[in-house]
Amino acid sequence: MMQPYPGLRPFEPDEALKFHGRETHTAELLHRLSANRFIAVTGNSGSGKSSLVRAGLLPALHRGRLIGATSQWRICILRPGDRPMQSLAASLAAQQVSSADEKAVFQEVTRSSLGLVRTVRASQFTPGESLLLVVDQFEELFRFVRERKEHDGGAESRLFVSSLLEAADLSSAPVYVVLTMRSDFLGDCSQFPGLPEALNRSQYLIPRMTREQVRDAIKKPLRLVNARMSPRLVERLLNELGDDTGQLPVLQHALNRTFHEFAKEGAQGEISIEDYAAAGELKGALNAHAESLFSLQFQYWTECVFRCLTTVEGGRKIRRPTRLGRLFEITGARDEASRKRVREVVRAYAHRDHAMLIWSGKELNEDSVVDISHESLIELWTRLRGWVSAEDEAANLYLSAVEDAVRNRRGSAAKWRHLKLAEALVYLEKGPWNTAWAERVGSQGARFEEVKGFLEREAAAEHTEEREREAIHARELVAEQRAKKDAEARAKAEGQKKSWVMMAAMLGVAVLLLGLTAAISIAKRADTERTMLESRKSVADSLQQIQASDDIVKQNVSQQQELRGKIDDVTNPDDKTRLQSKLKELTDQEVQVRAQRDAAQARLNSESKTRTRVNPVDGLTYTFIPAGNFIMGCSTGDTECDDDEKPPRAVQMASGFWLGQTEVTQAAWKKVNGGANPSYFKSNQLPVENVDWIQASGYCIAIGGRLPTEKEWEYAARGGTTGARYEQLDLIAWYGKNSGGTTHPIALQKPNAYGLHDILGNVWEWTSDDYASGGKVVRGGSWVNRAGVVRASDRFGDLTKYRSYDIGFRCVGE
């Protein structure tokens, strides 16, 4: 069935029958264009500028509704992108203005600011035929100016603007120019002579749609598919949108997904609130849709593509359209296999059913300009917001390296050490830093190779300093040992001067003291070992009692259910009495066993309180995990295991270890790292996230510990149990079903037998082990995952530089 709503992308000229609610605005545009052949359509992001021009103005022109002009038009639609004059030439050649040869047209239009006018005059236009140039997303030109300023001083951008102004100003050339531009970029127009004056003469600030106009935009497209929407849902959509008509693309996307849910059910009856809820509603539909397309198999290249297509500018998260060939260079897709992955990502998100990416031209090739279809995707797709922040951090760190490389070149001391240097080296080795990426960020006086050389020299200097510290430490140890031997020799010589009687007396006292000290030490050590053994035995006994009780209760409840079924079926009174007596025995036994389990759990909780300590560096509580044995890997009866969880195998933990009771919090992270907080969801008692493996490992080392191994993590997570989870999931973990789309403060959910909170769910946790296909293993699942992922044995791998709003960690506190 035809989709009546375009979704996130703008309406196209052939979708005029779907475009409703803007009739009066289209008429106003026609009136202004007839009075002035240059017009700028401005408005906030999401106000519908592109759609108004494409699906409102252009069809009206073809119907001959522009006063003083015919219905014969050659219409060129272009975006400035990263080659504005090339884009202009390509759009003209596509309409055979002067020539179909793009190179020939390019040579002509770049001769001077009158090149466009001469090109139009040289064309064989029929009498009354006119040319319309639609420059969509005109604000891209301002980014091009900044990125190319060092190369041409802004010459190409000035030529582009003056060509448009000259063409629209000369009556001898039948040229009309329409720009679309975000209104928050109006101030940038002052850098081009003549452009502010042209805007003052003819600018159309797109009005807000009234409630009735939005109603038409919702209801009327459904006539094309003989469908209708329930009045209740229409009113709800209008109320949720309110006066914020800057969210029109979000509304169109929600309508698109709602109709998709309606069509899945056979497109019978009315489009209902249930269809709307299934789509994710107004604010949730976009995030849910984007996540449904996200594939772990392509996660690396998906992140690379979207990070390349977005940026932060003046505090604003904005689109950054990029030619595919340039995108390959920036993302490091050097071989055909990686380029194929990039194309697959672009095609998947640009599919007409999804329309989250768009590209110029009919076929996707290296000259195609790839772009995000609308800025609202950046705001509403949670994963993308995290990627944009990560890209901004990488750019800021690079610019800091550029400044220090320049200082270093000029003779000033600029040192990079520890985590800062380690993070920069990972960016150099794994990406995103490379020559093409650095050119886009801006050199600021230092080429990429100079920055790279500076950081490599800093890494070598750090290594040398470490070797020197080791050598100094070794010399200090040697000197200490020599001093000790000299002191012993002097003491021995002095002792020989004493009388044998005094020597004997002193020796006797020393022997006595030594004996007493040894005896006390032996007694203390024996007492400590006995206490630890008793503690370990107590924990083991309690865990065994809890597991046995759970098994008995499970079997007991099953027998009760079976007996109740028999009691309902039996008709003989004596048989019924006998069965009821047996049922009472089972229920009494269940009560008794549950009481024993509660007592064992109480003993375990009491024991756990005596087995905790607070790390003074980060202020977090660590609990002792005793030695023991367990079955690692796919749990018995677990039907959701992946191949990398098999086969299950017996593992012995020969010694105990201290593990954080909770995931590392943002308060602890700031305490250790001096106030910086990389997390997407910010609050002191939320787990820190959006940290890569290097940062997590560095934190654990800083507090005197390390990241846990996989064996340690799973052994601790199971808490002495053998199932996929130690308790009902909703009681112990924050995951996709109950998280509400965010992380939660630590220790709100029920802990396991070792007193560990959030070991499943909330955020994934880094471990120290390598994953088979590369990167490091993460465990435990997170707030964004389905239930099937949040299990004790589930495992996945991420690259050491990978950061996400759903990955955190906890430390082994040595």
Side-chain angles (χ1 to χ4, degrees), residues 8-9 45-47 246 249 319 355-356 372-378:
L8 198 61
R9 63 174 175 79
S45 173
S47 58
R319 298 147 65 174
M356 294 180 189
I372 291 173
S373 55
H374 198 269
E375 288 91 346
S376 54
L377 182 66
I378 305 174

Side-chain angles (χ1 to χ4, degrees), residues 143 147 302-313 316-322 327 330-331 356-357 370-379 381 383-393 395 437 440-441:
R143 190 180 312 114
E147 292 178 357
T302 303
E303 178 179 356
C304 287
V305 167
F306 278 95
R307 283 178 64 159
C308 183
L309 297 177
T310 52
T311 189
V312 177
E313 209 171 78
R316 300 174 297 190
K317 294 176 180 176
I318 60 174
R319 298 147 65 174
R320 183 162 57 176
T322 306
L327 193 150
I330 292 170
T331 60
M356 294 180 189
L357 292 180
V370 183
D371 190 15
I372 291 173
S373 55
H374 198 269
E375 288 91 346
S376 54
L377 182 66
I378 305 174
E379 293 302 321
W381 186 12
R383 190 183 297 273
L384 179 53
R385 286 207 306 267
W387 288 340
V388 176
S389 297
E391 179 73 5
D392 189 44
E393 289 175 13
W437 181 90
R440 170 178 274 192
V441 172

Side-chain angles (χ1 to χ4, degrees), residues 22 25-26 28-30 32-33 38-45 47-54 57-58 132-139 177-186 189 198-199 202-207:
R22 293 284 195 184
H25 305 156
T26 300
E28 180 62 25
L29 267 185
L30 289 166
R32 296 197 180 199
L33 195 61
F38 178 95
I39 187 170
V41 181
T42 62
N44 294 332
S45 173
S47 58
K49 303 177 294 295
S50 297
S51 294
L52 175 60
V53 171
R54 290 169 181 258
L57 177 64
L58 299 191
L132 176 68
L133 290 171
V134 177
V135 185
D136 203 5
Q137 309 291 328
F138 185 76
E139 63 269 13
V177 177
V178 175
L179 313 180
T180 70
M181 180 176 64
R182 281 171 47 177
S183 53
D184 49 335
F185 283 90
L186 280 170
C189 296
L199 291 174
S202 185
Q203 178 193 162
Y204 184 67
L205 180 61
I206 190 168

